[in-house]
Amino acid sequence: GYPTQKPLGILRRIIQASSNPGDLVLDFFAGSGTTASACLELGRQFIMMDDNIQAMQVMAKRFSDQKNIEWVGYDPNTRR
């Protein structure tokens, strides 16, 4: 539901074609975190960045069940 969100299937195919399991994927404009979601499914590590607080809130909600994600510069528990 994020305005510029790409379909998960497309990102899955891009990540599979351009990386190997265990590789690190970087997304400077992470938005809703669809790239990270595909990375989790495909066994890739990831670094997601976004300077939009709403994007961070969407990602925090999307990954609230993931305990192994390290948040830097953002606390998903306070949503700030």
Side-chain angles (χ1 to χ4, degrees), residues 33-63:
T34 305
T35 299
S37 184
C39 286
L40 284 170
E41 288 181 20
L42 299 171
R44 272 62 166 182
Q45 299 179 56
F46 56 88
I47 297 173
M48 302 290 113
M49 297 179 203
D50 209 299
D51 67 352
N52 182 307
I53 190 68
Q54 289 84 11
M56 298 303 294
Q57 292 168 342
V58 169
M59 280 190 278
K61 184 176 178 181
R62 184 176 199 163
F63 300 112

Side-chain angles (χ1 to χ4, degrees), residues 2-78:
Y2 198 76
T4 58
Q5 182 175 345
K6 308 303 178 278
L8 181 59
I10 290 174
L11 284 169
R12 221 184 267 127
R13 288 165 55 192
I14 291 169
I15 291 166
Q16 281 180 317
S18 60
S19 66
N20 296 306
D23 281 355
L24 180 63
V25 175
L26 176 61
D27 186 348
F28 287 101
F29 307 100
S32 66
T34 305
T35 299
S37 184
C39 286
L40 284 170
E41 288 181 20
L42 299 171
R44 272 62 166 182
Q45 299 179 56
F46 56 88
I47 297 173
M48 302 290 113
M49 297 179 203
D50 209 299
D51 67 352
N52 182 307
I53 190 68
Q54 289 84 11
M56 298 303 294
Q57 292 168 342
V58 169
M59 280 190 278
K61 184 176 178 181
R62 184 176 199 163
F63 300 112
S64 63
D65 63 334
Q66 296 291 322
K67 304 302 179 212
N68 58 343
I69 293 178
E70 178 184 353
W71 296 86
V72 177
Y74 177 78
D75 183 352
N77 299 313
T78 61

